[in-house]
Amino acid sequence: MGCFTFVKMMMVLFNLLIFLGGLTLLAMGIWVSVDGGSFLKLLGPFSSQGMQFVNVGFFCIAIGAALVLLGLLGCCGAQKESKCLLLTFFSIVLIIFIAEVAAGVVALAYSSFAEGILKAWATPALQKDYGRDPVVTKIWNTAMTELKCCGFTNYTDFEGSWFEKENGFLPPSCCWANISPCSLMEAKRSAVQGCFQDILDNLKEHANIVGGIASGIGGLEIAAMAVSIYLYCHLDARVS
């Protein structure tokens, strides 16, 4: 019974952490939804653009509510020694685990299409938005300056672009020594490489970090399922 009591305490503590994490996300989500202006000031000048694509507030509320529910199920199931709550907790964690594995498999399967996906996004942005959209322009200027590259493939990404038509030249990064103005002929002679390979290497590096975190979360989920099933199976022996 000593082992059972220890496992039960660990189950309660683990789910208490999940519950508190869920409450934190829930509070952050409500804050963003109610007072988004002050929250955006903490995230920097580009956060307002990102918020157009992802509603962070509702996302945090949804994830936070799910974690609060999951934490309550685990805590109550272990504390009250309820087989029904423990089985529900196990089922929810199992569904989340299967969904994560499926997402990982899909991401792995589509990783070979990374160049096509990146090019489908990058090329139109350079042709239509570079020099016109301040966010896109700053992102690409920073990338080209830091990585010492030009465009996605090379200087041809700017050929016929809105930026070239308006200014008559290409970004300075497309010429060696950042010559300004950088003409099309000078960019052709400089033959500065595109940013694709460097961007892909950076994405792979961050993907490894995300993969490591996901593996850790997966390990915790497996441990949580094992503990909940252990408690579930030993409740009858506990009663007897």
Side-chain angles (χ1 to χ4, degrees), residues 33-234:
S33 299
V34 173
D35 189 19
S38 61
F39 181 78
L40 288 175
K41 291 177 183 176
L42 299 177
L43 299 181
F46 304 116
S47 55
S48 57
Q49 298 291 330
M51 290 286 282
Q52 294 176 0
F53 301 99
V54 180
N55 195 319
V56 176
F58 290 118
F59 179 76
C60 287
I61 289 173
I63 298 297
L67 289 176
V68 166
L69 177 62
L70 193 63
L72 281 174
L73 278 174
C75 281
C76 294
Q79 186 63 36
K80 294 181 177 295
E81 300 182 358
S82 168
K83 296 183 79 172
C84 178
L85 291 178
L86 286 172
L87 189 60
T88 304
F89 174 84
F90 173 84
S91 301
I92 293 174
V93 175
L94 179 62
I95 290 170
I96 294 172
F97 180 77
I98 291 172
E100 288 174 350
V101 170
V105 170
V106 170
L108 193 63
Y110 280 93
S111 62
S112 58
F113 301 106
E115 181 176 4
I117 294 170
L118 284 172
K119 192 166 187 177
W121 165 78
T123 305
L126 291 172
Q127 283 286 317
K128 300 175 183 177
D129 299 324
Y130 183 84
R132 184 160 48 180
D133 186 323
V135 174
V136 172
T137 306
K138 182 149 190 174
I139 289 172
W140 275 104
N141 281 342
T142 302
M144 291 189 293
T145 303
E146 293 293 326
L147 301 175
K148 295 180 174 58
C149 56
C150 171
F152 182 77
T153 307
N154 52 33
Y155 74 93
T156 57
D157 291 332
F158 293 101
E159 195 171 357
S161 66
W162 182 90
F163 181 83
E164 190 201 14
K165 290 175 182 176
E166 285 291 311
N167 299 281
F169 53 84
L170 307 186
S173 299
C174 293
C175 293
W176 288 120
N178 285 334
I179 297 172
S180 184
C182 175
S183 66
L184 189 61
M185 291 300 297
E186 185 61 35
K188 188 175 181 179
R189 279 196 297 270
S190 299
V192 178
Q193 68 173 2
C195 301
F196 165 66
Q197 193 57 51
D198 291 315
I199 292 174
L200 191 60
D201 290 342
N202 282 327
L203 287 177
K204 284 180 179 178
E205 181 183 342
H206 287 89
N208 290 334
I209 297 172
V210 172
I213 295 172
S215 298
I217 293 173
L220 288 175
E221 289 169 347
I222 291 172
M225 288 188 287
V227 169
S228 61
I229 282 296
Y230 174 86
L231 293 175
Y232 179 87
C233 294
H234 284 75

